[in-house]
Amino acid sequence: MNKAVSVYFINTFFVGALSAASVAITSANASVELNAANIAIADSASEDSVSADATGSKNDDISSSLQALLSGMKQFRAGFNQTVVDAQQNLVHEAQGTLTMTRPSKLRWETTFPDETLLVADGESVWNVDTFVEQVTVLSQANAIKDNPIVLLTSTDEATWSKFSISQMSSGITTDNSATDINNDNALQSFQITPKEEGGQIVTLTLTFNQDNELASLNMLDAQQQISTLVFNNIETRFPVPADTFSVDIPDSFIVDDQR
């Protein structure tokens, strides 16, 4: 994995209307001499409150749906094909390899094409092994992916989830009727995750699940308008996890750049 691709996983890879409604309703109850304009304002504020409540409830439901899907993914291992295109849709990178994850907070990314590379997140640190230059870069995992929606793949922490907005999509297009998509047994379920705080490397992450509720693909749009797409194959969600899966054996000849 070259550094341009690694960045996806190590530097980048959750009242006003209600207050207005409350004031309007209190004023209406306290006064018997409201004119038509004041009544209209109160009614409008009340409608805004209902709308805000409905939107918030829907967003919570969508977040809960995604969390439920990911909670069934306590283990995940799959081969992947990756493509990265730029803003003009020019192909800038291709890769193949294997992704292994366990919840909470552990990830192993290996590429076999075009080069053999390794990245491991062990729950505390991220180890990026560059065999070509014989160097290992070590970062604090909490700092490396704190603003990256990829963290939700393995995180069970509610405070982390609250940093992101989540919407449900269908066939890559946001829909207004999420229930229809969920109830369609033949439909893929897609969720778009957006950091609430702007300025991070990843603008959006889209997760798509197949009919068996398995993670089938993910799509990342970055701040440079590059799009990275991973399509998974040979998906496994139950398998033995060797003790060394999320550890790194560093040869003595390698330089270690510890940035924790």
Side-chain angles (χ1 to χ4, degrees), residues 148-202:
N148 187 341
I150 201 79
V151 70
L152 298 190
L153 288 177
T154 58
S155 175
T156 58
D157 179 53
E158 287 298 326
T160 300
W161 277 78
S162 69
K163 297 177 182 178
F164 301 91
S165 298
I166 302 170
S167 58
Q168 188 161 12
M169 309 171 70
S170 177
S171 301
I173 301 174
T174 303
T175 63
D176 293 327
N177 190 351
S178 300
T180 300
D181 300 326
I182 293 173
N183 293 330
N184 183 350
D185 291 337
N186 296 319
L188 298 178
Q189 296 186 61
S190 294
F191 298 82
Q192 187 176 84
I193 305 167
T194 306
K196 292 180 179 178
E197 184 174 334
E198 298 181 356
Q201 176 65 21
I202 299 301

Side-chain angles (χ1 to χ4, degrees), residues 74 102-107 121-123 141 153-157:
K74 290 182 174 61
T102 64
R103 293 166 65 86
S105 305
K106 293 185 178 181
L107 178 150
D122 63 15
Q141 185 167 331
L153 288 177
T154 58
S155 175
T156 58
D157 179 53

Side-chain angles (χ1 to χ4, degrees), residues 132-146:
F132 182 74
V133 298
E134 297 189 346
Q135 178 172 308
V136 179
T137 302
V138 190
L139 303 172
S140 162
Q141 185 167 331
N143 293 333
I145 60 175
K146 63 180 179 179

